[in-house]
Amino acid sequence: MSEHDNTTAAGPEPSGPAGGGPVDATPAAGAEAGEAATEPAGSEAPPVEEADVHPDTTLAAERLLDLQRLQAEYVNYKRRVDRDRDVVREQAVASVIEALLPVLDDIHLARQHGDLESGPFAAIADKLEATLSRFGVERFGEPGEAFDPNLHEALMHTQAELAPGTEVTTVVQVLQPGYRSGDRVVRAARVAVADPQ
């Protein structure tokens, strides 16, 4: 059999869609490109996970919170101690004044009678009163003051001529002066009062 016969027996070569040319072997690539084109335009790549926080950073934040809490506790403690110290101081001064009330009354009476105009006893009385004043001790109660039940204790109610225009009960005589330490009244002034006519 000749070469021409072998060619004829093998059959015709496959033809393209139009029957004229060879079959194109690239449709698969085109299909992949089409699939890629059909993906949503707004799709984004998955987010990249953030790096883990370093253990030292977490420890430093915890220690900072501990320090802030300790500082707040210390500030509150200091305020409480200062307040308690002031209260204890006032109580101590008030106790001393109460113990010295008889002596202070005698000094006040001696001054009223002119017995402390000079002499060594006058100097001692002045030093005692000056020392107490440095601790905030103050004597109060004078004739002519408006009667205040928080500051005065009325032992007598009398008839007396008051200053013109007086409209309230008024102190007309101080029997014993009052003493206070700061805002605390150690003893109210014992007074005689009169009402306006």
Side-chain angles (χ1 to χ4, degrees):
M1 186 179 294
S2 64
E3 293 180 0
H4 178 73
D5 295 337
N6 288 336
T7 302
T8 304
E13 294 182 0
S15 60
V23 177
D24 190 358
T26 60
E32 292 178 0
E35 292 177 359
T38 59
E39 292 183 0
S43 62
E44 298 178 356
V48 180
E49 295 183 358
E50 297 181 359
D52 293 338
V53 179
H54 196 280
D56 290 345
T57 303
T58 303
L59 182 62
E62 293 176 354
R63 293 296 180 266
L64 178 60
L65 291 176
D66 291 339
L67 288 174
Q68 291 174 341
R69 183 169 58 254
L70 289 174
Q71 183 180 12
E73 292 177 355
Y74 173 74
V75 170
N76 292 333
Y77 167 77
K78 188 175 184 301
R79 290 176 180 172
R80 185 169 60 253
V81 169
D82 292 341
R83 183 177 62 251
D84 294 343
R85 183 187 297 115
D86 292 339
V87 172
V88 171
R89 178 182 178 277
E90 290 178 1
Q91 291 176 345
V93 172
S95 298
V96 172
I97 298 174
E98 290 175 356
L100 291 175
L101 281 177
V103 176
L104 296 175
D105 288 337
D106 290 342
I107 292 175
H108 180 67
L109 289 174
R111 287 192 187 282
Q112 286 183 328
H113 291 85
D115 297 335
L116 293 181
E117 294 179 357
S118 61
F121 186 67
I124 294 174
D126 291 339
K127 289 180 181 179
L128 176 60
E129 291 177 341
T131 301
L132 292 176
S133 66
R134 287 203 300 268
F135 288 93
V137 179
E138 180 184 0
R139 183 173 61 239
F140 65 91
E142 295 292 337
E145 293 178 347
F147 176 74
D148 184 349
N150 296 317
L151 300 176
H152 305 112
E153 180 183 357
L155 300 183
M156 297 175 57
H157 203 110
T158 65
Q159 298 290 331
E161 184 176 352
L162 303 178
T166 302
E167 299 179 354
V168 296
T169 302
T170 304
V171 175
V172 294
Q173 182 181 1
V174 177
L175 306 176
Q176 284 184 324
Y179 291 91
R180 58 187 165 200
S181 175
D183 295 332
R184 179 176 180 176
V185 176
V186 179
R187 185 184 72 184
R190 296 170 178 173
V191 299
V193 298
D195 292 327
Q197 300 295 329

